[in-house]
Amino acid sequence: MNENLSLLYNAILDGDEDRAQDAVQAALAANLQAEHILAEGMIAAMREVGCRFEQGEYYVPEMLVAAHTMQSALTLLKPYLVAGNVKSAGKVAIGTVKGDLHDIGKNLVMLMLEGAGFEIQDLGVDVAPEKFVEAISTSDANIVALSALLTTTMPNMKTTIDCIQQAGLRHKVKIIIGGAPVTQTYANEIGADGFAADASAAPGVVQSLLQPA
């Protein structure tokens, strides 16, 4: 790996924003392509963060710090990605379902997905089913991610999926759900396409859903 990309990779793992930004600037000054900086420096680092979380080496605080570090570095890189017409891995419309005001889990999933190269449309919390429908209608989102932390708001996941179906848009998107009380069994019951047990699992699930059948 290029020295600057290695510095960026390790800065993200260490959660050092200043080092990460310096590494991005050095990589750009060395005429490295923005796409390579994203893939080899950032996405690779966030993949390693996810692995360490799954293995119990990192916990939520470490994962959050690494993700914020990646995001700060990505802010510097984005203009170059746009100028180079680098395609995102996909577009995800994400929100916490109606009645649920919790956003920590949703925000962590957003950071992990952005670290994996996805474009994010954050719909916020307490999102009505109609707002998800609007997001699908007015954007090119190909993934909808629904979050719920309360058992009392979980039924609104099904309501949202039903609303998307009734709007005739179900074929346009894959739907992934997650949150503390949510299970794969529940995802199957309500007709979701995927389930992520935690934020580190979300990129892999989304990537698998976007693979050609």
Side-chain angles (χ1 to χ4, degrees):
M1 184 187 292
N2 173 277
E3 181 183 357
N4 291 318
L5 295 183
S6 181
L7 289 171
L8 174 58
Y9 179 95
N10 288 313
I12 291 172
L13 291 181
D14 294 340
D16 190 323
E17 290 190 24
D18 290 338
R19 273 172 48 214
Q21 291 181 350
D22 288 345
V24 169
Q25 291 171 333
L28 290 169
N31 293 319
L32 292 181
Q33 291 185 351
E35 186 175 3
H36 291 158
I37 299 171
L38 174 66
E40 297 174 31
M42 297 183 186
I43 293 176
M46 291 308 296
R47 192 179 299 122
E48 176 63 19
V49 169
C51 289
R52 293 187 184 188
F53 179 79
E54 290 170 2
Q55 293 164 3
E57 296 176 29
Y58 275 17
Y59 297 95
V60 169
E62 289 88 353
M63 191 159 59
L64 272 171
V65 170
H68 280 298
T69 301
M70 176 280 303
Q71 195 173 45
S72 73
L74 185 59
T75 299
L76 290 178
L77 191 63
K78 272 183 177 177
Y80 297 89
L81 292 170
V82 172
N85 201 27
V86 175
K87 285 188 65 178
S88 69
K91 185 168 184 178
V92 182
I94 185 170
T96 305
V97 295
K98 187 171 178 59
D100 203 315
L101 300 175
H102 297 88
D103 66 355
I104 292 176
K106 171 187 69 69
N107 291 346
L108 187 50
V109 169
M110 284 170 43
L111 289 168
M112 294 300 290
L113 288 172
E114 191 168 26
F118 290 93
E119 185 181 353
I120 305 299
Q121 181 181 10
D122 181 15
L123 302 180
V125 299
D126 190 22
V127 182
E130 294 78 13
K131 191 170 179 182
F132 283 104
V133 168
E134 181 185 354
I136 300 168
S137 301
T138 59
S139 76
D140 54 355
N142 45 12
I143 291 283
V144 170
L146 308 177
S147 174
L149 192 67
L150 305 173
T151 55
T152 53
T153 59
M154 281 172 59
N156 287 328
M157 289 180 157
K158 183 178 188 310
T159 302
T160 299
I161 293 174
D162 289 346
C163 192
I164 293 169
Q165 178 75 44
Q166 290 160 10
L169 298 171
R170 184 65 180 87
H171 67 286
K172 290 189 64 175
V173 293
K174 298 293 186 180
I175 298 174
I176 178 176
I177 67 172
V182 181
T183 63
Q184 180 65 63
T185 300
Y186 186 67
N188 296 341
E189 287 175 0
I190 67 173
D193 298 299
F195 159 71
D198 53 52
S200 69
V205 174
V206 171
Q207 287 160 352
S208 68
L209 290 177
L210 293 179
Q211 292 297 318

